Amino acid sequence: MNATAGSTARSRAIVALILGYFVVVAYATVTNDPLALTVAAFGFGGIAIAVGAVLYQQAADPGPALLAAAGSLVAGGLLQFVAVLAASPIADGLASMLVFLGVGCYVVAVWSRST
């Protein structure tokens, strides 16, 4: 994966989103605030979509593992939005599984390129 000029700014923005997500999750956990829980769920979806899109855009030659990672993350993020809007625990679980699959595929992609 190659780095482009805008990748530093995008990476910092994603890190900021992830840190903000954890702050909201911590607040929601401590206070049991339903609005904060909803914001955290939307944040989870948004971060998954952003990371998936960045993975795809920054890859000079995406292999199958990286394409699977990007696709799984984007699909998981979109499904998370469906889960929140439809109040569907099944969609929520599937969204989490797709995001975990995306992270796993990313690990495989990085591992296979380093060997």
Side-chain angles (χ1 to χ4, degrees), residues 41-49 70-101:
F42 274 117
F44 180 79
I47 290 168
I49 292 169
S72 295
L73 287 166
V74 170
L78 292 172
L79 195 55
Q80 181 65 37
F81 292 151
V82 170
V84 173
L85 295 173
S88 171
I90 293 172
D92 188 44
L94 288 173
S96 295
M97 283 192 266
L98 280 169
V99 170
F100 285 125
L101 175 65

Side-chain angles (χ1 to χ4, degrees), residues 3-109:
T4 59
S7 68
T8 302
R10 278 183 283 202
S11 295
R12 287 184 181 160
I14 289 174
V15 168
L17 285 172
I18 292 169
L19 290 174
Y21 167 76
F22 283 118
V23 168
V24 173
V25 167
Y27 173 79
T29 302
V30 170
T31 64
N32 202 25
D33 181 353
L35 179 59
L37 291 169
T38 302
V39 169
F42 274 117
F44 180 79
I47 290 168
I49 292 169
V51 171
V54 167
L55 282 180
Y56 182 75
Q57 289 174 348
Q58 287 187 349
D61 179 27
L66 193 58
L67 286 175
S72 295
L73 287 166
V74 170
L78 292 172
L79 195 55
Q80 181 65 37
F81 292 151
V82 170
V84 173
L85 295 173
S88 171
I90 293 172
D92 188 44
L94 288 173
S96 295
M97 283 192 266
L98 280 169
V99 170
F100 285 125
L101 175 65
V103 171
C105 288
Y106 177 72
V107 169
V108 168

